[in-house]
Amino acid sequence: MVHTRAVHISARTDYAVRALLTLAAAGQQTVTGQALAAEQQLPQKFLEAILADLRRAGLVRSRRGPVGGYSLSRPATDIPIGEIVRAVDGPLAVVRGERPEQAVYAGAAEHLGTLWVALRAAVRSVLDDVTLAQVLSGDLPAQIQELLSSPGAWRSR
């Protein structure tokens, strides 16, 4: 039996995007960490650590006090999903812990590095071209709609 590993979307990334979508839906209102966790059924302590990363990356603002909480630091139309992924998980693609362009191969595999760079470019073309606002509204760009309608897009293998 062959075991393959799928593209891995970490819990940190999933939770971060879900929390930011909730903030995007709230508009200008400040939302507490507790309310964000409850809305998306996320573990609050883990979410608070993720929100701290998002604050350091400049994606959210936090306010203390009785009306405190979190809000987006800029409009949801200006926050690509790829930026969120990088803020909580680092680079979009790595090969053995290195950036794809740093992978060097010899012999029959000498051109493999170019494939890894192309893979990163493909991931970027999805994650960097879709904003929080587009995911929130469901109005995804044409290139994403095209990918979704391609044969096999919804197949698990």
Side-chain angles (χ1 to χ4, degrees), residues 1-5 157:
M1 175 186 241
V2 175
H3 292 282
T4 58
R5 212 174 153 152
R157 289 189 107 205

Side-chain angles (χ1 to χ4, degrees), residues 60-141:
V60 299
R61 287 187 289 247
S62 61
R63 185 175 8 166
R64 296 181 188 265
V67 291
Y70 297 90
S71 61
L72 295 178
S73 62
R74 56 186 196 263
T77 54
D78 296 342
I79 301 176
I81 302 301
E83 187 175 348
I84 302 165
V85 175
R86 287 183 195 92
V88 298
D89 273 335
L92 295 179
V94 293
V95 178
R96 299 181 322 270
E98 298 179 335
R99 295 184 181 277
E101 67 275 9
Q102 295 172 328
V104 178
Y105 300 95
E110 74 176 299
H111 302 291
L112 183 57
T114 58
L115 180 64
W116 300 150
V117 170
L119 173 66
R120 180 183 57 195
V123 171
R124 280 181 180 166
S125 75
V126 171
L127 296 179
D128 287 344
D129 292 343
V130 177
T131 66
L132 277 174
Q134 290 168 315
V135 175
L136 184 64
S137 71
D139 187 21
L140 299 173

